[in-house]
Amino acid sequence: MANGVSPWLHINGGYSELFDRRSLAPMKEVFQRLERWEKYLDGAQSQARVVLVLSRHTQDNHGREKPQQRYLDFIRGWYLALQEAHIPFDVISDKLISPERLARYGAVVISNLACVADAAAAALEQYAKAGGGVMAGFETGLCDVNGNLRATPAFDALLGITRTGKREGLKSSYAKLEVRDDPLLAGIGDTDLIPNEGALIVVKTAHAVPLTLIPPVIAHDGATISIPEYSAVRETTDIPVVVHGACGKDRVVYFANTMEGVYYHYGFPDLGRVLANAVRWALGEPMALEVDAPDYVDVTLMGQPSRTLAHLINLPIDKPLNNGWWHPGRNLVEVRDIVVRLRPPAGQRVKSVRLASNEAPLPLSMISGTVKVTVPKLVDHEIVIFELD
């Protein structure tokens, strides 16, 4: 509901003599709440300025027998990085890419979009030249929609890269911080390196290179475990791990490695931070919504006429299962004193703020054009309602 979908409850076995009735009362409570909140859900539209592109063509025609490893893990890594950084975003199919559809966004994440139609590639180039930010990675633009290799990858000129090779088997490798004040490395802290793994496309570029490859660190030839006395970085390279730059109005970022997939599998915080920083930089504008909350609090930004709605969802997860899934969180721990900052749409101002759960008004303060409120308590789902004029 926080993203605009309509709820649908489907109950199996309700007419059987033997039936599990334990979920009926919670479901009744949820739907009664939705009835009260209908005025804040009906007609609400996403106000996200970031969009993540999902490609079934790439999943099927590039992923083939390994769709998770070759594509879906990249998308899942981006999804988590954006979610945990509280950056509102939409997800659209590559079939819907058009200049008109992209115009509403300030930044587009195409990730490892290996299979792309000529029309979609042209729309993305047009979007970038008009000032949009584009984040791509690894084998993006390598093939047409049917998985056939292109003579020249679709986005290399846009990204400012020239591919010269590929490195694989990079287990126990790292990325070296080259420019500590680079915007993509904001908040990394006192370290010279961050984790890396998998494969990497070797590229040449004239753009900024904040991270370079440190080859696999092993104790000695043939070693299969890390031996602290012998494990040390003895070699560095100038091979880019990530590049970013601008050409005219566009702002582009290219991840030469499989950072998104590594983040999805291992959850290294540094990788998620770099991904989120890339979005903030490529967006090229102040964030419309900022939320200070634990990373498991999901955030969406919706709008109605003369109203902006910030949804906060307490979304904890539990222990992992051996099939790669996670138990849903069984225990909701209240999150308190969540700070929410909203930059109102141009030409409008916030006249009042309240919570949907109790319609209680919230005190607000204005700092440099941004409205700041504090949500005292989040149990499961809350809507912060900003009334505009």
Side-chain angles (χ1 to χ4, degrees), residues 146-179:
N146 297 315
N148 302 311
L149 286 175
R150 292 175 176 270
T152 301
F155 302 111
D156 284 14
L158 171 65
L159 298 171
I161 60 171
T162 301
R163 307 182 196 219
T164 62
K166 186 176 182 179
R167 298 279 296 261
E168 299 191 77
L170 295 176
K171 185 177 181 179
S172 301
S173 63
Y174 296 87
K176 178 188 175 188
L177 278 66
E178 294 286 357
V179 186

Side-chain angles (χ1 to χ4, degrees), residues 173-180 185 188 191-196 209-215 233 235-242:
S173 63
Y174 296 87
K176 178 188 175 188
L177 278 66
E178 294 286 357
V179 186
R180 290 188 173 273
L185 304 180
I188 291 295
T191 180
D192 298 318
L193 44 80
I194 61 175
N196 183 58
V209 180
L211 294 171
T212 55
L213 176 67
I214 297 174
V233 176
E235 179 187 1
T236 60
T237 73
D238 61 358
I239 299 174
V241 169
V242 60

Side-chain angles (χ1 to χ4, degrees), residues 231-270:
S231 293
V233 176
R234 296 182 174 86
E235 179 187 1
T236 60
T237 73
D238 61 358
I239 299 174
V241 169
V242 60
V243 306
H244 69 87
C247 182
K249 294 182 179 180
D250 67 11
R251 298 163 74 89
V252 296
V253 183
Y254 173 71
F255 291 91
N257 65 345
T258 60
M259 186 176 294
E260 310 99 299
V262 176
Y263 183 58
Y264 173 68
H265 277 277
Y266 299 110
F268 294 126
D270 290 337

Side-chain angles (χ1 to χ4, degrees), residues 9 48 70 74 114 126 136 159 176 195 197 201 221 254 306 367:
L9 180 59
R70 292 178 177 170
F74 289 80
Q126 179 181 335
L159 298 171
K176 178 188 175 188
E197 188 179 273
I201 304 299
D221 289 344
Y254 173 71
S306 301
I367 304 173

